Amino acid sequence: MKETVLQLEAALRRAAAQGELVITGHDAPDVDSCLSCAMLLELARFWGIPARIALPTPPDEAAMRVLPRLGLDPAPWRGGIGGDDLLALVDHHQPLHGGRLAAVIDHHPTDYPPQAPFVFISSSGACAMMLYRLVCAAGMPDPQHRFERMAVTALYLDTMALRSAKIPQEEADWVKARAAALHMDVDWLTQEGLGLEDMGRPARELARLSLKTYDFGGARVCSSYVQTDTMTQDKLREILAEVRAALEESGAARWVFLVQDPVRGRTEEYDLTANGETQHIGYDFLASRGKNIMPRVEREIRCAQKGDGKP
């Protein structure tokens, strides 16, 4: 990790020679994305590198609830990205709003890593955990365990309260131990991590929760999901009808909608394509969108583009 942090510092210093570094998360940034931005900003400032956070889209509802409890206000982070901005991407690896890549830090596996001066993609339950490791390796002080609390919070919220398949066992063991040692409110973290939605909300809203957009070899793919243990067939039909309408409106090639049930530990995947087809895949575990599902979707799309049936 020490070598990695030295490479990151060198890349950010080279970028800073050309102007201010712009740190950004994915669209509709969640708690993990926002906390990753916050930690990278603090690390850049520790190194004396001019940087700011720019979030082109508002943080999601959970982030707006959780960040104030960690002393963070995301309002000043809202802002656009220019074509000449030097970007540090966290919690995603595809630039969505222009700019030039200086660094990428992400925990979503990909067979097609981006071309950037610094790329750090690793298996982790939360991108903020990767940033925490970088902060520690850089020798940055952590008064009142502020950054450690960020990492613990991000891991609980980004892994459905440690139930997701994407969290390595060593991280699950670490976060439980640290949450207890820091006397954090584990019941609250678990409730927020489970993130069970009010299924009385309109189907149109539920269809677009946790929306992300991907570009796989020029093919635009959208994905959203809902976390619930009370999905009914009638509600699912309503939601999928709204997903279909959203797909047609977006002009994307495919929309991947997930029903995550953290109580029963199951995931249901519904792949809707622009030609009107819908495919259902069931998992008897909590499949991770970033680790299990979207990498497979990307391979399928790129194989189809090549026309040889090989990943």
Side-chain angles (χ1 to χ4, degrees):
M1 187 59 72
K2 185 63 176 178
E3 182 62 29
T4 301
V5 82
L6 290 174
Q7 293 172 0
L8 172 60
E9 181 181 4
L12 297 190
R13 289 196 184 282
R14 287 194 298 270
Q18 304 174 57
E20 186 179 43
L21 183 73
V22 177
I23 300 167
T24 188
H26 56 70
D27 280 357
D30 55 14
V31 170
D32 184 32
S33 192
C34 289
L35 294 181
S36 298
C37 285
M39 279 199 270
L40 185 56
L41 178 64
E42 292 294 330
L43 188 54
R45 288 174 173 172
F46 177 67
W47 287 329
I49 295 171
R52 64 182 172 88
I53 297 173
L55 302 180
T57 62
D60 69 10
E61 295 174 7
M64 296 305 293
R65 289 193 306 270
V66 172
L67 294 182
R69 291 186 61 145
L70 293 167
L72 294 170
D73 177 10
W77 299 346
R78 286 298 311 283
I81 293 172
D84 292 329
D85 283 338
L86 289 158
L87 303 181
L89 305 185
V90 297
D91 201 24
H92 68 308
H93 55 261
Q94 295 180 337
L96 303 174
H97 300 279
R100 296 174 291 154
L101 285 184
V104 174
I105 303 173
D106 190 17
H107 68 132
H108 299 109
T110 176
D111 295 333
Y112 310 92
Q115 298 298 311
F118 176 85
V119 176
F120 180 32
I121 298 177
S122 179
S123 177
S124 178
C127 187
M129 184 64 189
M130 296 171 63
L131 265 299
Y132 177 65
R133 290 180 175 133
L134 289 169
V135 163
C136 292
M140 187 172 169
D142 188 14
Q144 287 78 52
H145 301 278
R146 178 167 173 259
F147 299 122
E148 191 174 21
R149 291 176 185 276
M150 289 184 186
V152 169
T153 301
L155 280 168
Y156 265 95
L157 270 72
D158 218 48
T159 64
M160 285 174 277
L162 314 183
R163 289 163 170 79
S164 171
K166 70 180 173 182
I167 184 168
Q169 187 59 50
E170 61 270 20
E171 286 188 359
D173 294 340
W174 177 87
V175 73
K176 291 176 185 176
R178 296 315 301 157
L182 295 171
H183 306 290
M184 297 179 71
D185 188 342
V186 173
D187 289 342
W188 174 77
L189 288 168
T190 299
Q191 180 180 350
E192 286 288 348
L194 291 177
L196 298 177
E197 291 295 337
D198 175 6
M199 297 306 290
R201 295 177 65 171
R204 179 179 175 82
E205 293 180 9
L206 295 171
R208 292 164 172 79
L209 291 175
S210 301
L211 176 61
K212 282 189 178 181
T213 302
Y214 305 80
D215 184 331
F216 295 150
R220 189 161 177 252
V221 178
C222 297
S223 175
S224 54
Y225 69 82
V226 62
Q227 289 176 202
T228 179
D229 62 340
T230 58
M231 180 67 78
T232 65
Q233 286 302 308
D234 287 345
K235 194 67 175 186
L236 179 61
R237 280 191 290 270
E238 289 181 43
I239 293 172
L240 291 180
E242 291 292 344
V243 170
R244 173 65 63 189
L247 172 61
E248 294 172 357
E249 181 183 331
S250 71
R254 189 165 173 175
W255 193 299
V256 179
F257 180 74
L258 307 176
V259 179
Q260 300 278 27
D261 185 343
V263 175
R264 295 178 179 85
R266 285 191 56 83
T267 296
E268 307 297 333
E269 174 185 348
Y270 300 89
D271 284 19
L272 286 72
T273 58
N275 63 9
E277 295 180 353
T278 300
Q279 180 185 15
H280 169 244
I281 303 173
Y283 303 83
D284 59 1
F285 63 97
L286 282 173
S288 164
R289 177 167 67 174
K291 178 180 178 180
N292 305 118
I293 294 171
M294 299 315 294
R296 190 208 76 237
V297 170
E298 181 174 16
R299 285 192 293 271
E300 291 175 357
I301 289 174
R302 291 186 185 269
C303 288
Q305 290 170 337
K306 290 192 300 182
D308 59 8
K310 299 177 181 179

